[in-house]
Amino acid sequence: MSNTKLSPGIVSARLSEEDYSNNFSDAYPGFSNYEAKVEADRCYFCYDAPCISACPTEINIPLFIRQISTEMEEEAAKTIFDQNILGGMCARVCPTETLCEEACVREAAEGKPVKIGRLQRYATDATMNSNIHPYSRDGSNGKKIAVIGSGPAGLACSHRLAMLGYDVEIFESKSKAGGLNEYGIATYKSVDNFASKEIDWLLKIGGIKINFNKTLGTDFSIDELRKSFDAVFIGCGLQDTNKISIHTGSEQFVEDAVDFIADLRQVNDFSSLPIGRNVVVIGGGMTAIDAAVQSQLLGAEKVTIIYRRNLDNMSASQKEQNNATSKGVKIIANAIPTAIEKENNIHKLKLSYTEVDNETGQLKELNQTFSIEADQIFCAIGQKFNNLLDVFQSKRGKIVIDNDGKTSVKNVWAGGDCVDKGEDLTVSAVAQGRDAAQAIHKSIISK
Amino acid sequence: MNLQSEFLGIKSPNPFWLASAPPTDKEYNVRRAFEAGWGGVVWKTLGLDPHIVNVNGPRYGAVWGPDRRLLGMNNIELITDRPLQINLDEIKIIKRDYPDRAVIVSLMVPCEEDCWKSILPKVDETEADGLELNFGCPHGMSERGMGSAVGQVPDYIEMVTRWVKSNTRMPVIVKLTPNITDIRYPARAAFKGGADAVSLINTVASIVSVNLDTFSPEPSIDGKGTHGGYCGPAVKPIALNLVSQIARDPEMQNKDISGIGGVTTWRDAAEFLALGAGNVQVCTAAMTYGFGIISELTSGLSNWMRKKEINSVSEIVGKAIPNVTDWQYLNLNHVTKAQIDQDLCIKCGRCYAVCEDTSHQAISKTINGERGFEVIDEECVACNMCINVCPVENCITMRDLETGEVDKRTGQKVSDEYANWTTHPNNPSSVKAAE
Ligand SMILES: Cc1cc2nc3c(=O)[nH]c(=O)nc-3n(C[C@H](O)[C@H](O)[C@H](O)COP(=O)(O)OP(=O)(O)OC[C@H]3O[C@@H](n4cnc5c(N)ncnc54)[C@H](O)[C@@H]3O)c2cc1C
Ligand SMILES: Cc1cc2nc3c(=O)[nH]c(=O)nc-3n(C[C@H](O)[C@H](O)[C@H](O)COP(=O)(O)O)c2cc1C
Ligand code: SF4
Ligand code: SF4
Ligand code: SF4
């Protein structure tokens, strides 16, 4: 007999097949042709439009929207891809409410920005679905570039370099490309294998070779790469996570939210994934939200996010928080976990309330405590670098780069989550990868 | 508010008539229009038997605005495609059942006196209130020497009107085509021929679109298209101007005009009345939204009249005419400047783009080093273009400079004297006059 939401412990198949497929379908399906035209009409074609500078890749938003309104979806997509070759993924995953759409003048005017992200998806989908790749390369210029990592930063860098005539070799430690596009982004934001389809489409440019299961630091060193390539780009993201330890006896009770999400992204049959009846997620960012929401969608009865500071300190945007609470997730702010106990065969997480000391700004644990039932706990308190970092000058645990994306090591550039610049977002990774490619090109031709 | 209207002595409970077109094509429609509250109808134009035929493909083309709002429409429909007697019988029944409504019969027959002589007695029998002569239809019928083919030749208008007047007891309205150079000539001709009123406009000759796959104009009939008649909100400005030209003409003082063309809301109707129309006729708006809009038209007009303390429709007629003048009489000493309400401004920069690229470089794009838009009084010529493009209503307004205030653009003090082009030193004829 299959389980229900109320089945105790951590079990699989809590929901019907239909529920699973509803829960993990496209959260914001693409616009119809008509919806797109009505929405495109709302754009004022602003002068020096503020939405453009709010987009990390600086897409010419008014132009692409005007192209949509004149039924030139392909040209619109080209306007987008010129700046952001992963415009399809970004249209799905960008927290637009804190980027382009926050800056849209209609947000200030009426609280209803032009739906830039969804229009971007409309245009890019149209082109990608018809399998048009709007770029070509004139053939090889004989120069070779090594790219570490096939996440958004590495892909954007590789595509731009390939377009400019370089022969690109990507080294990817996993057996599948895409980085967090493939392993991190919430399932309902990128359905139908979009991440891998997008990569197939991107590789149509030619000149890019991906070497899978090849890890920098293990299989080869930076110095080896520098000898055999004209330049190196590091887009390795963050490979490790911060941990919290809460033990029951000798057993670590806390699971890693990033691993949980990666499993979710790779599974074909959601009913095969076990999930707790009572799930607790610790953290305040996009990962915490995604882990919590997807636990709920997998059939957990109660899901609670525990965040140690005030709600407005959460790095997840208001829209993300609302999305979570609308799915039934409860968010408890100003609390930290202290221990786990087992009473009558049920695990209970003990927590203390916290307060920020006004003078020192330090977080204080208060004497007041409470507990919640917790069959399963996910930790989502940030990603970090592994030992690779040692080679580079670093800051706050990330690689330091200059304005051109160059690291402290000669002929090595870097971008994306692994660098100490910009926000940890897909779109920022794309911008930095693209800009590093241009900088590499500039440096090589000036030699 | 009583909207009672009297046009050529024909009474109707309100000044809103349905223009001669598909909404007035048959008893079934007209009955429901009257039930909905329309004041009158001009029956779909009648012709001689054998009745004409329409195309069997699409008849209409369209120009849409945002959200597919119909801004303009064109049609290649002809006059009624039903036998004359059926129409006449229905008109008679309708007039009997709705004695308080205006029922006007629109006619178009060949330019031969006998044709008119044969049809007019039959129309008289319907006991309808009046006639409208369709000298306006710009497509199909004009190729056969009717419609705008008559309306474009003042002599024909006069001649046919005279024939009609001498063969009917009914008041005669002549419906004019806008497809001419100066509307006053056909209008004067109509009155010369004895017309009791003119109505305008009929549709504007137009091609609304070309299909870029088949290279056929639209609407396309088996790969070919033809020009049609344009109507709806887009033609209102043309119609308003033409109506005012007749109302202002010294030769046509106090002549009756029925205003037609793009009337969509009560406001449009009030504007036509203010420019000298005694009532209005509506076609496209009814064809777009159905007969129900009459409730908005009547309640809107009443409400506005109440607020303006206007007691009857006739008081509105021509109210704006004294203020319609020629360019040369506009006061050149009236100086205004655009000003931006910073609290309302959403910083879209459209005013800047338009002023910088196409006007007078009179808007700055920064305020204290930050994005912000401000009018540079030294450059602003008050052209109004920024207001046209600003998406926020009342965000940019025109301020009248006070008498004695210095216009920063010219350095001159604003004078309270009226001075126009006729006396301006740059006007060669004015210099000559002074010598
Ligand atoms: C759960 C989760 C949800 C997220 N949701 C969003 C979202 O909705 N919207 C958004 O904008 N951002 C989101 N982000 C952030 C976003 O995914 C990242 O900012 C973005 O993927 C960073 O791109 P990157 O290319 O720098 O790194 P990654 O995407 O991490 O890619 C790095 C790649 O390098 C490979 N690699 C690592 N080390 C080595 C090595 N030594 N040798 C060879 N290859 C190596 C990795 O396997 C990986 O493929 C989310 C992140 C997480 C964790
Ligand atoms: C489909 C259609 C058919 C028309 N047929 C006639 C007609 O038979 N006789 C006539 O005098 N005007 C005819 N007209 C013109 C209308 O009466 C009216 O003058 C014109 O449409 C402008 O008014 P509007 O903007 O309110 O539509 C027709 C208009 C349309 C749209
Ligand atoms: S890439 Fe992201 S931030 Fe940029 S315009 Fe598109 S949705 Fe907005
Ligand atoms: S700010 Fe908004 S309205 Fe202006 S160009 Fe950008 S999307 Fe369009
Ligand atoms: S057009 Fe209007 S809203 Fe836009 S910047 Fe100018 S004044 Fe402000």
Side-chain angles (χ1 to χ4, degrees):
Chain A
M1 202 187 86
S2 93
N3 291 303
T4 71
K5 285 190 146 197
L6 303 183
S7 306
I10 305 177
V11 298
S12 55
R14 287 183 182 273
L15 304 177
S16 70
E17 219 164 280
E18 199 189 333
D19 285 341
Y20 283 119
S21 83
N22 284 340
N23 286 356
F24 291 98
S25 65
D26 216 339
Y28 306 99
F31 273 144
S32 69
N33 178 300
Y34 179 67
E35 287 172 308
K37 277 179 87 180
V38 171
E39 191 59 23
D41 259 324
R42 296 186 62 234
C43 173
Y44 292 142
F45 202 79
C46 295
Y47 172 80
D48 190 13
C51 53
I52 301 180
S53 34
C55 165
T57 52
E58 300 195 47
I59 292 171
N60 189 337
I61 295 165
L63 177 61
F64 95 69
I65 294 181
R66 196 176 155 86
Q67 287 166 323
I68 291 177
S69 66
T70 59
E71 295 174 64
M72 278 294 138
E73 289 84 5
E74 258 175 58
E75 289 305 304
K78 174 104 182 346
T79 302
I80 294 161
F81 293 138
D82 280 349
Q83 290 294 98
N84 181 336
I85 196 66
L86 295 183
M89 183 58 88
C90 286
R92 291 164 164 77
V93 307
C94 274
T96 50
E97 64 279 10
T98 64
L99 300 168
C100 51
E101 291 178 19
E102 182 181 50
C104 174
V105 298
R106 297 201 77 152
E107 168 64 29
E110 58 198 289
K112 287 200 191 79
V114 175
K115 293 188 179 121
I116 301 168
R118 295 189 69 187
L119 286 170
Q120 178 172 323
R121 171 158 175 193
Y122 175 76
T124 51
D125 276 3
T127 292
M128 292 170 71
N129 288 340
S130 47
N131 234 343
I132 300 165
H133 188 90
Y135 304 97
S136 58
R137 75 191 217 127
D138 293 338
S140 163
N141 64 10
K143 304 271 182 202
K144 285 163 58 189
I145 317 285
V147 170
I148 306 303
S150 62
L155 289 170
C157 183
S158 303
H159 186 272
R160 182 56 61 103
L161 286 168
M163 223 165 80
L164 293 168
Y166 295 88
D167 293 327
V168 181
E169 271 196 56
I170 298 180
F171 297 91
E172 167 56 58
S173 57
K174 294 219 162 75
S175 57
K176 220 169 170 182
L180 290 170
N181 280 2
E182 180 59 44
Y183 291 98
I185 295 299
T187 315
Y188 46 82
K189 289 185 188 166
S190 165
V191 301
D192 294 336
N193 260 331
F194 180 78
S196 75
K197 285 184 196 159
E198 186 179 42
I199 293 170
D200 292 343
W201 172 85
L202 177 146
L203 292 176
K204 282 184 202 287
I205 185 73
I208 303 173
K209 180 180 167 211
I210 308 187
N211 304 296
F212 291 104
N213 306 311
K214 289 276 180 279
T215 301
L216 170 66
T218 313
D219 299 322
F220 48 86
S221 70
I222 287 265
D223 284 335
E224 284 167 340
L225 286 182
R226 287 173 55 215
K227 279 191 200 117
S228 29
F229 290 89
D230 294 285
V232 179
F233 175 78
I234 312 277
C236 64
L238 296 169
Q239 311 76 16
D240 209 351
T241 50
N242 296 319
K243 314 251 187 291
I244 254 185
S245 67
I246 301 172
H247 290 271
T248 44
S250 61
E251 189 194 347
Q252 161 67 304
F253 200 84
V254 182
E255 297 170 45
D256 197 310
V258 173
D259 293 342
F260 164 63
I261 290 169
D263 289 347
L264 240 166
R265 281 297 301 276
Q266 299 306 310
V267 78
N268 285 322
D269 173 10
F270 293 107
S271 72
S272 70
L273 276 186
I275 190 74
R277 174 177 174 182
N278 298 294
V279 174
V280 174
V281 181
I282 300 164
M286 198 135 31
T287 308
I289 297 277
D290 285 355
V293 169
Q294 294 185 100
S295 299
Q296 195 87 55
L297 299 180
L298 275 177
E301 187 203 354
K302 284 188 205 137
V303 181
T304 314
I305 290 177
I306 303 292
Y307 178 58
R308 60 194 179 131
R309 294 177 185 274
N310 296 333
L311 267 189
D312 41 354
N313 290 110
M314 277 179 86
S315 65
S317 70
Q318 190 61 51
K319 184 177 164 205
E320 299 272 352
Q321 293 179 36
N322 292 349
N323 176 37
T325 49
S326 77
K327 296 276 183 332
V329 172
K330 187 172 171 191
I331 303 180
I332 300 181
N334 297 103
I336 47 169
T338 51
I340 188 103
E341 280 171 13
K342 199 167 182 179
E343 287 170 22
N344 308 327
N345 234 2
I346 291 175
H347 286 105
K348 287 205 158 167
L349 182 65
K350 300 268 174 203
L351 300 117
S352 296
Y353 282 113
T354 63
E355 193 181 73
V356 178
D357 188 309
N358 280 341
E359 274 162 34
T360 62
Q362 295 277 314
L363 199 68
K364 279 193 312 199
E365 189 177 329
L366 302 178
N367 283 335
Q368 284 147 305
T369 62
F370 64 104
S371 66
I372 52 176
E373 290 180 12
D375 303 307
Q376 196 169 22
I377 303 177
F378 294 117
C379 176
I381 57 167
Q383 291 180 274
K384 62 175 188 189
F385 235 107
N386 64 10
N387 51 13
L388 248 186
L389 196 56
D390 307 346
V391 194
F392 301 98
Q393 188 194 333
S394 67
K395 210 169 166 185
R396 287 181 284 262
K398 290 184 167 196
I399 301 175
V400 170
I401 51 170
D402 68 10
N403 285 339
D404 280 338
K406 208 158 183 281
T407 69
S408 56
V409 180
K410 191 160 188 278
N411 285 346
V412 179
W413 280 257
D417 283 1
C418 65
V419 301
D420 180 42
K421 206 173 215 175
E423 284 184 84
D424 285 353
L425 293 174
T426 311
V427 63
S428 313
V430 172
Q432 290 171 347
R434 174 201 71 194
D435 292 347
Q438 290 300 155
I440 290 170
H441 178 55
K442 202 169 123 197
S443 137
I444 288 181
I445 54 173
S446 67
K447 266 179 197 158
Chain B
M1 176 70 56
N2 185 359
L3 291 182
Q4 187 66 39
S5 147
E6 201 172 316
F7 188 80
L8 304 183
I10 304 163
K11 292 198 169 67
S12 58
N14 61 54
F16 299 102
W17 293 3
L18 283 165
S20 173
T24 62
D25 189 34
K26 53 175 103 64
E27 180 190 347
Y28 177 79
N29 296 5
V30 172
R31 200 171 276 285
R32 285 181 309 123
F34 282 162
E35 291 305 323
W38 289 87
V41 298
V42 182
W43 204 273
K44 172 76 183 169
T45 305
L46 311 184
L48 293 179
D49 285 334
H51 60 80
I52 59 90
V53 294
N54 271 303
V55 293
N56 295 302
R59 300 177 192 182
Y60 302 122
V63 172
W64 287 285
D67 213 357
R68 278 179 84 82
R69 179 184 283 257
L70 193 59
L71 299 181
M73 172 165 101
N74 102 338
N75 80 87
I76 54 168
E77 179 177 286
L78 304 183
I79 60 173
T80 183
D81 54 10
R82 304 189 312 153
L84 179 60
Q85 197 55 49
I86 292 184
N87 278 304
L88 294 171
D89 292 346
E90 290 183 3
I91 293 169
K92 186 161 189 162
I93 294 169
I94 284 286
K95 187 60 215 180
R96 187 196 63 207
D97 289 356
Y98 297 93
D100 65 326
R101 310 300 169 96
V103 178
I104 309 295
V105 179
S106 169
L107 293 176
M108 183 196 288
V109 297
C111 246
E112 293 158 29
E113 193 169 7
D114 286 348
C115 295
W116 292 96
K117 276 188 167 158
S118 79
I119 197 169
L120 288 169
K122 295 181 191 160
V123 178
D124 266 3
E125 270 177 36
T126 63
E127 312 204 358
D129 301 296
L131 296 176
E132 188 178 78
L133 310 186
N134 179 352
F135 295 155
C137 183
H139 49 263
M141 303 312 290
S142 51
E143 296 160 14
R144 306 173 201 181
M146 295 182 260
S148 65
V150 179
Q152 287 169 334
V153 184
D155 289 348
Y156 291 175
I157 296 178
E158 187 185 333
M159 174 181 75
V160 177
T161 310
R162 188 162 289 128
W163 292 341
V164 174
K165 275 307 281 186
S166 48
N167 286 293
T168 182
R169 57 161 183 90
M170 291 183 176
V172 173
I173 305 167
V174 170
K175 185 165 180 180
L176 300 175
T177 173
N179 304 308
I180 37 78
T181 19
D182 187 338
I183 195 71
R184 290 172 298 185
Y185 291 89
R188 286 174 194 152
F191 289 118
K192 240 197 221 162
D196 300 285
V198 291
S199 59
L200 71 164
I201 56 174
N202 208 312
T203 54
V204 182
S206 61
I207 290 179
V208 284
S209 53
V210 175
N211 183 311
L212 291 180
D213 294 321
T214 62
F215 292 97
S216 163
E218 290 172 318
S220 172
I221 316 283
D222 193 22
K224 306 258 187 253
T226 184
H227 76 273
Y230 199 44
C231 52
V235 307
K236 182 187 107 176
I238 298 169
L240 282 179
N241 177 46
L242 298 183
V243 165
S244 80
Q245 285 188 7
I246 295 172
R248 285 179 63 210
D249 187 34
E251 291 184 33
M252 291 184 278
Q253 286 304 294
N254 303 317
K255 293 291 187 193
D256 288 295
I257 305 169
S258 182
I260 318 172
V263 174
T264 310
T265 68
W266 69 267
R267 191 178 283 278
D268 301 325
E271 290 172 13
F272 270 96
L273 297 175
L275 285 177
N279 71 1
V280 295
Q281 299 184 27
V282 178
C283 166
T284 305
M287 289 185 74
T288 309
Y289 304 107
F291 293 138
I293 57 161
I294 186 61
S295 305
E296 172 269 315
L297 292 170
T298 50
S299 63
L301 188 64
S302 314
N303 196 305
W304 173 75
M305 285 167 63
R306 196 174 308 117
K307 283 190 196 144
K308 292 278 171 204
E309 297 180 11
I310 296 172
N311 297 314
S312 72
V313 171
S314 59
E315 273 180 53
I316 311 169
V317 179
K319 236 176 148 44
I321 284 298
N323 295 329
V324 185
T325 182
D326 295 337
W327 194 96
Q328 59 181 340
Y329 301 120
L330 296 173
N331 184 1
L332 296 175
N333 280 344
H334 179 73
V335 184
T336 62
K337 293 277 171 206
Q339 62 179 10
I340 297 175
D341 181 337
Q342 294 299 335
D343 292 335
L344 290 178
C345 173
I346 60 172
K347 301 192 174 65
C348 67
R350 288 176 95 170
C351 55
Y352 173 82
V354 73
C355 193
E356 192 68 11
D357 292 358
T358 70
S359 301
H360 302 87
Q361 299 77 45
I363 291 179
S364 67
K365 59 180 171 175
T366 51
I367 299 177
N368 301 327
E370 307 234 323
R371 182 183 177 86
F373 299 88
E374 222 168 22
V375 175
I376 305 164
D377 283 353
E378 286 76 1
E379 304 296 338
C380 175
V381 303
C383 75
N384 220 47
M385 202 51 215
C386 54
I387 296 183
N388 285 2
V389 302
C390 176
V392 183
E393 215 177 336
N394 294 326
C395 174
I396 313 181
T397 47
M398 278 294 164
R399 184 176 74 84
D400 294 355
L401 264 52
E402 311 269 344
T403 304
E405 200 176 334
V406 174
D407 174 355
K408 290 192 187 153
R409 184 173 67 88
T410 57
Q412 310 264 305
K413 276 194 182 160
V414 174
S415 152
D416 60 354
E417 268 170 52
Y418 163 82
N420 65 39
W421 175 243
T422 59
T423 56
H424 196 278
N426 287 17
N427 180 351
S429 10
S430 105
V431 173
K432 224 182 275 158
E435 277 165 2

